[in-house]
Amino acid sequence: MTPPAAEEDSAASTSGSGTITFRQYKDETDLPTVMHLIDNELSEPYTVFTYRYFLHQWPKLCYLAFDGDKPFGTVVCKMDMHRDHMRGYVAMLVVDKTYRGKGVGSDLVKLAITQMIEGGCEEVVLEAEVCNIGALRLYQGLGFIRDKRLHRYYLNGVDAYRLKLLLPLTPEQEAALALKQQQQQQQQQDALDTAATTQLQACH
């Protein structure tokens, strides 16, 4: 899964409609643009506090797509600890209808996932309406698999699929996992040794 060649601030690719550029969310001045794009496309209503929850804490996990100076797509994500590992979450993804079918949605998600990998995430999850065939096809094309069905998940009563993508471990994560497994094996062996010693003492 290769994202569009990108610098931190922007990336560019050429489409049939001209030059499409991608850049990270900068600051509060981008907030109205993100809100406008999402409110126009998604069925779930969000308050400004929901947007700020994501954008203030994880600005590097939000990207916008532009055709010239016109914004037409965005992705909003987060990452945090889940149980004993880091997990990324794709909260919102929208692309204006006139720009769909050009791979822009996939590019936005790839850019966010690249940041999640750099942040140490081991998996990415999201929810999508069971009837949103386009979204399900997009995410499955990126390697997401259906994890479970969430009944009446949305306010409109529609079910959702929880989708999950397992990310490749970094060398540091692999080393930490190997150390953890080694410690667990040692603890199990110590417990067996202790139990055997106790049994021998009881026999005498």
Side-chain angles (χ1 to χ4, degrees):
M1 180 173 61
T2 305
E7 298 177 355
E8 181 171 291
D9 290 332
S10 65
S13 62
T14 301
S15 73
S17 62
T19 300
I20 292 177
T21 59
F22 302 87
R23 69 164 173 81
Q24 282 180 329
Y25 179 88
K26 289 183 177 180
D27 52 37
E28 190 83 0
T29 60
D30 280 336
L31 179 58
T33 300
V34 173
M35 291 180 62
H36 176 73
L37 289 168
I38 293 172
D39 290 345
N40 279 354
E41 296 291 337
L42 295 189
S43 59
E44 286 286 281
Y46 295 108
T47 68
V48 67
F49 303 106
T50 300
Y51 290 107
R52 283 177 172 153
Y53 165 76
F54 288 100
L55 298 174
H56 284 190
Q57 296 186 77
W58 301 281
K60 289 187 176 181
L61 298 183
C62 173
Y63 281 85
L64 297 99
F66 293 82
D67 184 358
D69 294 330
K70 176 188 176 182
F72 68 89
T74 187
V75 64
V76 177
C77 309
K78 73 170 185 173
M79 54 182 283
D80 51 20
M81 288 296 298
H82 176 70
R83 297 176 182 171
D84 61 348
H85 62 274
M86 288 293 293
R87 182 170 77 172
Y89 178 70
V90 180
M92 312 168 203
L93 171 68
V94 298
V95 176
D96 185 274
K97 292 181 177 64
T98 59
Y99 289 89
R100 293 177 188 173
K102 302 178 184 297
V104 174
S106 295
D107 284 343
L108 285 167
V109 175
K110 288 176 184 177
L111 287 166
I113 289 176
T114 298
Q115 290 291 323
M116 293 176 188
I117 293 173
E118 292 180 3
C121 287
E122 297 182 21
E123 64 179 15
V124 184
V125 298
L126 58 92
E127 293 86 30
E129 292 181 340
V130 296
C131 56
N132 192 337
I133 304 303
L136 294 173
R137 186 179 297 117
L138 181 153
Y139 290 120
Q140 289 167 357
L142 292 172
F144 284 83
I145 60 173
R146 296 181 186 181
D147 186 39
K148 63 178 68 173
R149 183 167 182 147
L150 306 172
H151 295 283
R152 299 183 65 84
Y153 180 80
Y154 294 102
L155 294 178
N156 59 9
V158 173
D159 292 358
Y161 284 123
R162 169 75 50 76
L163 304 179
K164 180 182 291 188
L165 173 68
L166 299 179
L167 298 175
L169 297 179
T170 64
E172 293 78 8
Q173 289 172 322
E174 289 181 347
L177 180 60
L179 178 60
K180 182 177 179 180
Q181 292 174 338
Q182 183 179 3
Q183 291 172 338
Q184 290 175 339
Q185 290 172 354
Q186 185 61 51
Q187 289 171 353
Q188 292 172 353
Q189 186 60 50
D190 291 345
L192 290 173
D193 292 345
T194 300
T197 301
T198 301
Q199 187 173 9
L200 285 172
Q201 292 174 344
C203 290
H204 293 294

